[in-house]
Amino acid sequence: MHKRYNIKVPRSSYVQMFGAMLTTYLLLVILQNDDVLSVFFIIILLAASLVQVVMLVKRNLNKNQDLEITEHTIKINNKEVPIHKIEKIIIQGYFIPSIGIKLSGRTFVAMHLHFRFKHDEERNVEELKQWANMNKIKVTNGTIYRWI
């Protein structure tokens, strides 16, 4: 089995990007306080928030997103994941399903392993389930917890 699909970032990524931008703006407003200790902590939070915004904007603006499924690997945007590293595939949502690939030994789904199909979601999700069943990978419905 060798299939190629067009994918895009899930909607939750846009919500997270908006929240990070809002947090950055609020930190800039609070930074106008003259207290030295609070300014130090706010600058650290501001730097972390800016890093998050840059990472999310970079990911959301990436137009060339492909998912390629082969017999022994799954490749997302030229990053290859062998099947022995996949713990389970999580499907979140019914009308607009979002897919997360959780790796073995990880608590969260990596940002680059969280996606949704661009076209014909139902058929593509079914084909992904069939591939997972052929490779004895657990497929569950539930909430996808991810880290940046």
Side-chain angles (χ1 to χ4, degrees):
M1 175 179 206
H2 186 88
K3 286 267 198 166
R4 184 178 217 106
Y5 303 95
N6 288 329
I7 58 173
K8 56 186 174 180
V9 295
R11 290 186 179 178
S12 62
S13 185
Y14 293 107
V15 173
Q16 186 179 11
M17 183 178 65
F18 176 73
M21 287 180 177
L22 183 63
T23 302
T24 303
Y25 173 75
L26 291 175
L27 286 171
L28 284 172
V29 170
I30 294 171
L31 188 59
Q32 296 173 1
N33 189 352
D34 291 336
D35 185 16
V36 175
L37 188 59
S38 65
V39 168
F40 175 72
F41 286 119
I42 290 173
I43 288 174
I44 290 173
L45 290 173
L46 184 63
S49 184
L50 284 173
V51 167
Q52 181 183 14
V53 167
V54 168
M55 288 178 66
L56 289 168
V57 168
K58 180 184 166 199
R59 173 150 193 252
N60 290 346
L61 293 179
N62 185 4
K63 297 294 181 192
N64 187 18
Q65 297 199 353
D66 291 321
L67 169 71
E68 187 175 343
I69 296 175
T70 63
E71 290 183 31
H72 303 292
T73 61
I74 190 165
K75 188 189 266 188
I76 300 174
N77 299 327
N78 298 323
K79 294 180 183 175
E80 198 167 292
V81 179
I83 59 171
H84 69 273
K85 288 189 175 184
I86 300 174
E87 180 181 326
K88 65 181 173 180
I89 296 175
I90 306 167
I91 301 171
Q92 177 178 324
Y94 181 74
F95 294 110
I96 303 173
S98 178
I99 312 296
I101 299 175
K102 186 174 179 296
L103 300 179
S104 300
R106 302 290 174 114
T107 306
F108 299 107
V109 172
M111 186 171 73
H112 71 281
L113 297 177
H114 186 204
F115 61 91
R116 62 188 173 129
F117 289 106
K118 203 169 201 173
H119 305 289
D120 201 12
E121 293 91 355
E122 287 181 32
R123 183 177 58 84
N124 294 341
V125 168
E126 285 303 317
E127 289 177 359
L128 182 65
K129 284 180 182 179
Q130 289 174 0
W131 174 83
N133 287 335
M134 285 184 348
N135 290 299
K136 297 180 176 84
I137 297 173
K138 183 179 176 184
V139 178
T140 62
N141 290 322
T143 305
I144 298 171
Y145 298 103
R146 70 173 188 183
W147 185 255
I148 306 178

